[in-house]
């Protein structure tokens, strides 16, 4: 039983924290309105009361949990929803034996009629706890609620055990403004040796609770000696305590010792001096007695019904009592008592709120006039700051998963309504306000922030967002990410509430967060991380300067803070050297392991940094992603310019089909079509377009005739002027424009690239095309355009298309292919253009290129492009934006920016010797700490002393003799 008894005692001593944990666990399990309210009570009332809430509050929470448990059993489980006949419909009255619900559905969705817009009722039911859960058993559905009730009952029993049963039992252990007056006994006496009524207690204002004046709340400690303290013990005080005193609880003995003190004197809560409201019959009997015996005192209790009949029965029979007058007198007395109760209730409510807010703002003070309010004072801001940083990082990296459960639709991050930007701004603003509150130690503002943050978080996530969402059954129950984030936020609120309960420690806000970890290796690395985070030091220093009452200007303030941090860094350096004094004294050599970890690691990092761009852009880079062409479109336009008018005719458009290149095809391309093989990785494929356009050509006879006339006229004009090609200054100009668009996987900035080929028509070509358009017959007519389209294309990871070719004697397979345009009639009004090359790519050199073995002039194959698409950088490299830089640009950045930082880090600076080689900076650090503590005490003349200490510190650093004198000794 020893082990189990210890476990039981441990659980009983931590019963309050088990109750808080169970209430928060119920919220994360059920995530509904009835689970939110207890958490709000915990964060805004229970955790901020010192030492803990009154027993009446715990009883209210317990009975609330019992009601919620019964409600869940009734409406969320199948305990009271039983089917009688499964063959009957749910609307049949004989379908159920007994049911507290309108239906016993198999699923949540069958509760409501979706066609009539009942989805809003579904969401309301989920939020306000009227839809049964999906738990397999009744116990699983209410197990958390049973645990909440058990933990609350356990804590109430624990309070009963220590003698705290009502609010009255807490009056003498609560913090108050005159706490030292209440507990500052001048005599040192043991509790068990006090004789009832024989101890004279003296309460004086401003008595500190130190070893010379122990509190009676610590019985058995600090037994006094003769002459100790300001007074001496009386002989009677050393006698044994009577058994009647020993048998009482500790709080009861304390009340007997200290006597009954008015709440109004201790806590500002008025006492009720009137009379409690009675039953109507008691007022009537009191009025009757006053008629018979005259007015009695108000504090006298009226007789009971039996006593009234026995004593005044004869007078009633003889009708000596005027009933109307008695009723009027009873109503008048009742109105007076009711008015007194209302006035007292208002005063009590105002006093309770004032007492609550006063208790929150209490804090201890050591400087004269000293003040002990009963709050221990703790510095929990480091934990708060860590949780705020964790929440901010969580929001940035996991915001897309903070959505709600929905069985029918997927929910996105926009369901949080505010968006990632607003969430980050809100979190940052919360961190700034927390820092301002911490520096100013304004506990009332701290509580206001606690209220705003708690209500915004819990009501917004669990109540408002589900109700305004346009979908059914929107709830945070099924989202593990959101529940984990809320758990982190609840932990932050718990720490913040504990800070309000215990109060701030005086002067703690002027200590740097990472200086509180000591000089251990963990403290060293934590301080290095703190200094490495950009803008963190500057933001903290600026906020501290704004909130301080210092006489230092901004430049002086930053100089002092930098000196303080540099001296602390030197202390960490020197402490690390003292830890390894065998090495730094010259006895042992520096370990090879540390040389490898420091020197070789830095050397390897620099080498890798210099070789990184070469590896990044090389073909062996594993992060290069495949980059095949996903689609290709070819569009052919006929542009006719006569004088200043321009007409554009779209005669061909089609989409290509991809044909994979074999190894032989790639070798042939590199041999016959390329001057030198590509060094980068690429994806090779052939893009084959259909022979005929995917869209028919519709042009009425009139415009078609005009087009043919313009083409013939242009051909005659060329023959007359004997110009082989037209220029921009020509009166007539006709050209074919081949536009090809290639769409690839990436990179994102150049997924689609275009190639445009402009081919002016010669006189013979224009004449043939004009004749072909004007005299359309059932026979196919063709026009050949020499060397119009390239054969092999390279698609680099930028907005560019490169034509690959090589110099070779005729016939040269890499020359641009001759394109043949054909026009065919489909019916009287529809025509279609065709496009093919005179010879398939590499035909005559390599047969069957890209599988084109059966290529004929009458086949369905059209233009063929051989493409080589370079692979692109993806993943982290793409997110960093390095894919958009060239190798030379990256090397310029490395040498100028990164190289400068590395050089400045290893470069010798004189302040490294003046500050970072001080063997014993303790004296200077004490001077810096003293200057910081001056800001906390704020005594008259503190700002003058602050200026003096600042100039003293600067003078010491400017004088080498003084600096050496105060920082020597403490050998390695």
């Amino acid at each position: 039983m020893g082990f189990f008894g210890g476990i039981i005692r441990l659980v009983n001593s931590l019963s309050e924290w088990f109750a808080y944990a169970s209430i928060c666990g119920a919220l994360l399990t059920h995530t509904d309105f009835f689970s939110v309210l207890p958490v709000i009570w915990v964060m805004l009332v229970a955790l901020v009361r010192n030492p803990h809430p009154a027993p009446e509050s715990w009883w209210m929470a317990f009975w609330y949990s019992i009601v919620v448990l019964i409600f869940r059993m009734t409406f969320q489980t199948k305990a009271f929803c039983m089917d009688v006949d499964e063959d009957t419909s749910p609307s049949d009255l004989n379908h159920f034996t007994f049911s507290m619900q309108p239906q016993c559905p198999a699923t949540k969705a069958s509760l409501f009629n979706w066609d009539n817009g009942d989805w809003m009722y579904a969401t309301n039911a989920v939020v306000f706890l009227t839809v049964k859960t999906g738990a397999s058993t009744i116990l699983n559905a209410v197990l958390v609620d049973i645990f909440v009730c058990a933990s609350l009952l356990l804590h109430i029993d624990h309070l009963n055990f220590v003698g705290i049963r009502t609010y009255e039992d807490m009056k003498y252990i609560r913090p108050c403004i005159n706490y030292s007056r209440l507990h500052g006994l001048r005599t040192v006496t043991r509790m068990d040796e006090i004789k009832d009524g024989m101890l004279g207690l003296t309460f004086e204002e401003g008595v500190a609770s130190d070893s010379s004046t122990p509190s009676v709340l610590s019985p058995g400690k600090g037994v006094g000696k003769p002459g100790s303290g300001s007074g001496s013990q009386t002989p009677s005080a050393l006698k044994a305590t009577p058994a009647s005193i020993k048998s009482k609880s500790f709080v009861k003995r304390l009340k007997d010792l200290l006597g009954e003190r008015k709440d109004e004197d201790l806590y500002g809560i008025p006492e009720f001096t009137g009379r409690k409201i009675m039953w109507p019959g008691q007022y009537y009997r009191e009025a009757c007695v006053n008629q018979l015996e005259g007015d009695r005192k108000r504090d006298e209790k009226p007789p009971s019904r039996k006593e009234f009949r026995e004593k005044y029965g004869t007078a009633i029979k003889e009708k000596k009592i005027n009933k109307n007058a008695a009723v009027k007198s009873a109503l008048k007395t009742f109105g007076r008592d009711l008015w007194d109760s209302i006035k007292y209730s208002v005063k009590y409510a105002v006093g309770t709120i004032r007492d609550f807010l006063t208790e929150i703002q209490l804090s201890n003070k050591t400087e004269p006039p000293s003040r002990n309010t009963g709050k221990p004072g703790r510095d929990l801001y480091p934990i708060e700051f860590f949780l705020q940083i964790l929440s901010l990082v969580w929001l940035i990296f996991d915001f897309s998963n903070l959505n709600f459960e929905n069985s029918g639709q997927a929910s996105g991050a926009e369901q949080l309504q505010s968006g990632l930007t607003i969430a980050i701004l809100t979190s940052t603003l919360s961190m700034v306000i927390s820092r301002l509150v911490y520096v100013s130690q304004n506990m009332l503002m701290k509580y206001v922030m606690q209220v705003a943050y708690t209500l915004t978080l819990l009501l917004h996530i669990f109540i408002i967002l589900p109700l305004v969402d346009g979908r059914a059954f929107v709830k945070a129950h099924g989202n593990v990410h959101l529940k984990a984030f809320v758990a982190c936020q609840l932990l932050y609120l718990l720490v913040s509430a504990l800070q309000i309960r215990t109060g701030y420690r005086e002067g703690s806000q002027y200590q740097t967060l990472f200086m509180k970890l000591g000089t251990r290796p963990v403290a060293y690395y934590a301080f290095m991380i703190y200094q490495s985070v950009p803008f963190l030091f500057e933001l903290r220093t600026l906020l501290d300067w704004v909130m301080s009452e210092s006489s230092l200007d901004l430049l002086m303030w930053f100089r002092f803070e930098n000196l303080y941090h540099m001296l602390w860094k030197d202390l960490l350096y020197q402490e690390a050297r003292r830890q390894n004094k065998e090495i730094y004294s010259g006895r042992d050599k520096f370990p090879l392991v540390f040389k490898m970890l420091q020197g070789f690691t830095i050397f390897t990092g620099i080498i890798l940094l210099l070789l990184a761009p070469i590896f990044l852009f090389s073909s062996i880079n594993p992060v290069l992603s495949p980059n095949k062409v996903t689609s290709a479109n070819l569009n052919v336009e006929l542009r006719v310019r006569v004088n200043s008018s321009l007409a554009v005719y779209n005669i061909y458009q089609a989409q290509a089909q991809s044909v994979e290149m074999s190894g032989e095809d790639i070798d042939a391309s590199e041999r016959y079509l390329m001057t030198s093989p590509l060094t980068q990785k690429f994806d090779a494929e052939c893009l084959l377009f259909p022979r005929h356009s995917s869209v028919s050509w519709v042009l009425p006879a009139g415009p078609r005739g005009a087009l043919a006339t313009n083409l013939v006229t242009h051909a005659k004009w060329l023959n007359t002027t004997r110009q082989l090609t037209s220029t921009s200054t020509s009166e007539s100009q006709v050209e074919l424009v081949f536009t090809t668009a290639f769409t690839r996987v990436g990179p994102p900035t150049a997924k689609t690239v275009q190639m445009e080929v402009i081919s002016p028509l010669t006189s013979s070509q224009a004449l043939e095309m004009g004749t072909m358009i004007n005299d359309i017959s059932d026979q196919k007519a063709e026009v050949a355009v020499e060397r119009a389209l390239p054969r092999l294309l390279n698609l680099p990871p930028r907005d560019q298309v490169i034509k690959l070719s090589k110099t070779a004697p005729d016939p040269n397979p890499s020359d641009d292919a001759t394109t043949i345009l054909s026009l065919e009639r489909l019916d009287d009004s529809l025509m279609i253009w065709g496009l093919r090359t005179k010879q398939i790519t590499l035909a005559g050199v390599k047969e069957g290129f890209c599988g084109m073995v059966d290529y004929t002039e009458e086949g369905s194959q059209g233009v063929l492009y051989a493409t080589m698409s370079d692979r692109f950088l993806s993943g982290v490299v793409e997110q960093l934006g390095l894919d958009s830089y060239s190798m030379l640009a990256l090397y310029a950045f490395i040498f100028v920016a990164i190289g400068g930082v590395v050089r400045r880090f290893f470069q010798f600076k004189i302040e490294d010797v003046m500050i970072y080689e001080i063997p014993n900076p303790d004296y200077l650090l004490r001077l810096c700490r003293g200057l910081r503590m001056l800001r906390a005490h704020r005594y008259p003349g503190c700002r003058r002393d602050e200026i003096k200490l600042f100039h003293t510190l600067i003078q010491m650093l400017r004088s080498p003799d003084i600096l050496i004198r105060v920082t020597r000794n403490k050998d390695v």
Side-chain angles (χ1 to χ4, degrees):
M1 289 298 293
F3 174 75
F4 291 103
I7 294 296
I8 293 174
R9 286 193 295 272
L10 177 63
V11 171
N12 192 50
S13 63
L14 299 176
S15 59
E16 181 182 3
W17 299 107
F18 277 106
Y20 295 147
S22 63
I23 291 174
C24 295
L27 171 65
L28 298 178
T29 302
H30 296 300
T31 63
D32 53 30
F33 176 75
F34 290 92
S35 302
V36 169
L37 296 181
V39 177
I40 293 177
W41 172 76
V42 167
M43 298 301 173
L44 301 185
V45 179
L47 277 171
V48 302
R49 298 308 299 261
N50 192 313
H52 51 71
E56 290 85 351
S57 300
W58 291 109
W59 276 111
M60 291 176 60
F62 171 74
W63 288 116
Y64 174 85
S65 302
I66 292 292
V67 172
V68 172
L69 174 62
I70 297 173
F71 198 87
R72 291 191 193 278
M73 289 282 294
T74 305
F75 290 100
Q76 280 199 299
T77 66
K78 296 182 179 180
F80 300 101
C81 189
M82 299 172 288
D83 294 339
V84 176
D85 187 1
E86 296 181 356
D87 297 331
T88 59
S89 63
S91 59
D92 192 344
L93 297 178
N94 296 322
H95 185 69
F96 306 109
T97 306
F98 176 74
S99 177
M100 296 296 293
Q101 304 178 37
Q103 295 182 23
C104 289
T107 61
K108 295 177 181 179
S110 61
L111 269 175
F112 305 97
N113 187 354
W114 303 95
D115 297 332
N116 294 335
D118 285 349
W119 57 267
M120 178 53 70
Y121 299 104
T123 301
N124 293 343
V126 170
V127 175
F128 294 110
L129 194 151
T130 56
V131 172
K132 67 183 182 64
T133 62
S136 57
T137 62
I138 296 175
L139 181 60
N140 291 338
V142 296
L143 183 61
V144 178
D145 301 274
I146 294 175
F147 186 73
V148 171
C149 297
S151 61
L152 290 173
L153 196 59
L154 175 66
H155 183 57
I156 292 173
D157 179 71
H158 174 70
L159 293 179
N160 251 345
F161 177 76
V162 298
I164 301 177
R165 299 176 178 86
T166 62
Y167 172 79
E168 296 295 325
D169 296 329
M170 296 179 56
K171 287 194 300 184
Y172 297 99
I173 60 177
R174 288 181 53 211
C176 59
I177 193 65
N178 47 12
Y179 188 85
S180 58
R181 174 191 172 193
L182 182 62
H183 299 281
L185 297 178
R186 302 288 263 171
T187 56
V188 183
T189 311
R190 292 191 56 158
M191 177 73 69
D192 295 333
E193 297 176 353
I194 297 177
K195 187 175 181 180
D196 186 19
M198 298 299 296
L199 180 64
L201 302 179
T202 304
F203 296 92
E204 293 186 11
E205 190 68 32
V207 180
S209 57
D210 52 13
S211 59
S212 62
T213 59
S215 171
V216 297
L217 291 178
S218 302
K221 297 181 181 181
V223 179
K225 297 179 182 180
S228 62
S230 59
S232 60
Q233 287 181 300
T234 60
S236 61
L238 300 176
K239 296 181 180 180
T241 306
S244 60
I245 298 298
K246 290 184 178 181
S247 62
K248 297 179 181 179
S249 66
F250 171 70
V251 176
K252 183 64 177 175
R253 285 184 289 167
L254 182 62
K255 292 172 64 175
D256 291 341
L257 288 172
L258 300 178
E260 292 292 340
R261 300 290 173 183
K262 293 183 179 181
D263 284 350
E264 190 171 4
D265 296 335
L266 294 178
Y267 306 107
I269 301 178
E271 292 188 356
F272 183 62
T273 56
R275 187 171 61 170
K276 294 183 179 180
I277 298 178
M278 303 180 295
W279 293 101
Q282 291 177 302
Y283 284 107
Y284 178 74
R285 292 193 294 272
E286 183 184 40
C288 294
V289 172
N290 289 339
Q291 284 188 17
L292 296 174
E293 298 182 358
D295 293 339
R296 305 192 314 165
K297 295 182 179 179
R298 292 191 63 191
D299 56 353
E300 293 184 13
K301 186 178 181 181
S304 63
R305 184 179 302 177
K306 183 178 179 181
E307 294 175 352
F308 183 75
R309 288 178 179 177
E310 290 177 356
K311 190 173 182 179
Y312 303 103
T314 306
I316 295 174
K317 292 179 180 179
E318 295 176 357
K319 298 181 179 180
K320 295 182 178 180
I321 299 176
N322 188 347
K323 294 184 178 181
N324 293 333
V327 170
K328 291 182 180 180
S329 176
L331 291 176
K332 182 178 179 181
T333 306
F334 170 74
R336 183 173 54 195
D337 291 348
L338 179 62
W339 177 246
D340 290 342
S341 298
I342 292 174
K343 288 193 299 183
Y344 170 73
S345 299
V346 173
K347 291 181 179 179
Y348 185 83
V350 174
T352 303
I353 296 174
R354 185 188 297 114
D355 166 60
F356 178 73
L357 297 179
T358 303
E359 177 187 325
I360 287 175
Q361 300 177 75
L362 291 177
S363 61
N364 294 343
K365 186 179 179 182
T366 57
E367 287 296 318
S370 61
R371 182 177 63 203
N372 180 13
T373 62
K375 282 192 173 184
R378 292 180 182 176
D379 187 13
L380 301 177
Y381 178 74
I383 304 177
E384 288 186 48
F385 181 74
F386 171 75
L387 292 174
Q388 286 177 325
I389 291 292
L390 177 62
S391 301
L392 181 60
V393 174
W394 199 326
L395 272 176
I396 295 174
F397 290 99
D398 198 36
F399 186 78
S400 59
N401 294 319
L402 301 181
N403 48 42
F404 293 111
E405 170 195 18
N406 188 358
S407 59
Q409 305 177 29
S411 177
E414 67 275 6
Q415 295 301 324
L416 289 180
Q417 302 294 328
S418 57
L420 179 59
T421 302
I422 303 236
I424 293 176
L425 290 177
T426 305
S427 300
T428 306
L429 181 62
S430 173
M431 295 173 62
V432 172
I433 297 177
S434 296
R435 180 66 188 181
L436 294 177
V437 170
Y438 176 66
V439 173
S440 62
Q441 292 198 346
N442 189 334
M443 198 60 71
L444 183 60
M445 184 60 65
K446 175 75 173 176
Y447 183 73
V448 171
M449 182 181 174
Q450 177 85 356
V451 173
Y453 199 93
T454 303
L455 296 181
T456 302
L457 175 73
L458 299 180
L459 297 183
H460 190 67
I461 291 180
F462 297 107
I463 308 299
I464 298 175
L465 287 184
L467 292 181
V468 300
D469 197 288
R471 301 167 299 157
F473 300 112
V474 175
K475 195 178 181 184
H477 182 272
N479 191 326
V480 179
H481 294 264
L482 183 60
K483 291 166 71 172
F485 178 75
V486 172
C488 178
Q489 295 295 297
L490 291 179
L491 183 60
Y492 161 73
L493 291 174
L494 184 143
V495 175
S496 179
L498 286 179
Q499 182 70 84
I500 299 175
R501 170 185 283 190
T502 58
Y504 284 116
R505 181 172 295 171
E506 187 180 17
S508 61
Q509 73 273 31
Y510 295 108
Q511 299 177 14
T512 302
L513 180 62
F514 294 98
M515 292 182 182
K516 301 176 183 180
L517 302 176
T519 57
R520 294 169 294 178
V522 176
Y524 173 78
Y525 292 111
F527 188 75
M528 293 298 104
I529 294 174
Y530 161 70
Q531 282 201 317
S532 301
V533 177
F535 306 113
L536 185 58
F537 168 75
E538 290 77 9
L539 291 174
R540 183 196 67 82
T541 306
L542 287 171
L543 283 179
D544 291 355
W545 182 69
V546 170
M547 296 301 298
S548 70
E549 298 180 0
S550 173
S551 295
L552 300 177
D553 60 21
L554 183 60
L555 184 60
M556 297 168 68
W557 187 283
F558 263 94
R559 282 178 179 171
F560 166 73
E561 291 294 330
N562 278 288
L563 284 174
Y564 191 16
H565 283 69
M566 293 169 69
L567 290 171
W568 182 260
K569 188 176 180 180
D570 174 63
L571 178 66
L572 296 177
Y573 282 152
Q574 300 303 326
E575 189 65 28
R577 292 180 181 180
R578 278 187 282 272
Q579 297 277 339
N580 302 277
K581 58 183 179 181
E582 294 83 3
I583 299 174
Y584 293 100
S585 63
R587 193 185 75 178
D588 298 337
K589 65 180 181 179
F590 201 83
L592 180 62
V593 176
F594 290 101
K595 287 185 178 180
M596 298 298 292
L597 289 176
Q598 296 178 7
F600 186 74
T601 302
I602 297 175
F603 175 81
T604 305
I606 294 176
I607 294 297
L608 291 178
L609 185 65
L610 294 176
L611 298 179
I614 299 176
F615 174 78
L616 194 64
F617 290 95
S618 67
S619 59
I620 63 174
N621 189 352
V623 300
L624 290 175
S625 297
N627 197 19
K628 288 189 175 183
V629 176
T630 57
S631 64
N633 296 289
L634 177 59
N635 186 37
V636 181
E637 294 178 348
L638 176 62
R639 297 179 181 177
V640 179
R641 181 186 297 276
V642 179
N643 297 325
S644 61
S645 63
L646 174 66
V648 179
Y649 303 90
N650 191 352
I651 60 177
Y652 177 91
Q653 59 182 21
Q655 189 170 2
Q657 177 185 0
S658 176
V659 179
E660 187 175 357
M661 271 191 187
S662 63
E664 296 179 357
D665 295 335
I666 297 176
D667 293 339
S669 299
E670 293 180 347
R671 185 183 311 167
Y672 299 110
L673 303 180
M674 300 170 58
T675 303
S676 59
L678 297 177
T679 58
Q680 66 270 21
K681 281 188 176 182
F682 58 85
D683 293 306
E685 56 187 327
C686 292
L687 302 176
L688 179 62
F689 290 91
R691 174 71 61 87
H692 296 95
S693 174
S694 59
V695 179
S696 59
W697 191 51
V698 180
L699 193 64
R704 189 170 68 246
L707 173 60
T709 302
N710 289 334
L711 290 173
V712 173
T713 303
H714 176 70
K716 293 180 180 180
W717 181 80
L718 287 178
N719 290 330
T720 302
T721 57
R722 297 187 179 185
Q723 293 184 358
L724 297 178
T725 57
S726 59
T727 61
S728 58
T729 58
S730 302
E731 298 180 0
S732 178
Q733 185 178 356
V734 177
E735 56 189 12
L736 286 174
V737 181
F738 300 86
T739 304
T740 310
F742 304 92
T743 302
R744 303 167 295 173
V745 178
T749 56
K751 281 188 175 183
T752 301
V753 292
Q754 287 188 356
M755 177 189 67
E756 187 176 83
V757 178
I758 301 176
S759 179
L761 295 183
T762 63
S763 59
S764 59
Q765 293 170 349
L767 183 60
E768 291 178 3
M769 183 170 287
T771 305
M772 181 175 59
I773 293 174
N774 191 33
D775 301 327
I776 296 179
S777 62
D778 295 336
Q779 299 296 324
K780 180 176 62 174
E782 295 181 341
V783 175
V785 182
E786 298 292 336
R787 295 185 179 183
L789 296 178
R791 299 178 183 271
L792 182 62
L793 301 174
N794 175 229
L795 308 179
R798 49 187 179 271
D799 192 6
Q800 186 181 8
V801 178
I802 301 175
K803 183 181 74 171
L804 300 178
S805 62
K806 66 182 299 183
T807 304
D810 292 335
N812 186 357
S814 67
D815 284 343
D816 293 348
T818 298
T819 304
I820 299 177
L821 282 168
S822 62
L823 183 61
E824 302 177 28
R825 176 187 290 276
L826 298 178
D827 53 29
D828 294 339
S829 59
L830 294 179
M831 293 164 286
I832 190 168
W833 287 90
L835 183 66
R836 66 180 178 87
T837 54
K838 187 175 182 181
Q839 196 176 37
I840 196 66
T841 304
L842 297 185
V845 179
K846 180 186 182 302
E847 298 297 332
F849 183 77
C850 286
M852 299 291 103
V853 179
D854 55 347
Y855 180 80
T856 61
E857 294 184 0
E858 302 299 331
S860 61
Q861 295 89 352
V863 175
L864 178 69
Y865 285 132
T867 61
M868 294 182 177
S869 178
D870 293 350
R871 296 188 176 185
F872 69 100
L873 298 171
S874 61
V876 179
V877 179
E878 180 186 355
Q879 293 177 1
L880 293 176
L882 299 179
D883 57 329
S884 59
Y885 290 90
S886 64
M887 186 184 300
L888 294 178
L890 283 180
Y891 268 116
F893 175 77
I894 290 174
F895 279 101
V896 175
I898 302 180
V901 173
V902 174
R903 172 59 61 86
R904 286 191 296 271
F905 180 79
F906 290 103
Q907 194 174 22
F908 173 78
K909 289 176 287 191
I910 190 63
E911 57 264 25
D912 292 343
V913 178
M914 298 295 295
I915 301 295
Y916 294 138
E917 293 298 333
I918 294 177
N920 182 20
D922 291 348
Y923 184 83
L924 298 177
L925 284 173
R926 286 198 298 269
L927 190 63
C928 294
R929 293 192 188 101
L931 194 148
R932 281 196 167 192
M933 291 304 296
L934 288 177
R935 306 168 186 169
H937 296 310
R938 301 175 184 176
Y939 60 88
C942 63
R943 288 188 293 273
R944 182 177 61 252
D945 294 342
E946 181 187 24
I947 293 292
K948 290 181 178 179
L949 282 179
F950 174 77
H951 289 295
T952 301
L953 178 63
I954 298 299
Q955 185 66 28
M956 293 173 65
L957 293 174
R958 291 179 58 194
S959 175
D961 294 338
I962 299 177
L963 189 62
I964 293 174
R965 188 175 302 174
V966 299
T967 59
R968 59 187 175 186
N969 297 330
K970 232 182 191 182
D971 298 332
V972 174

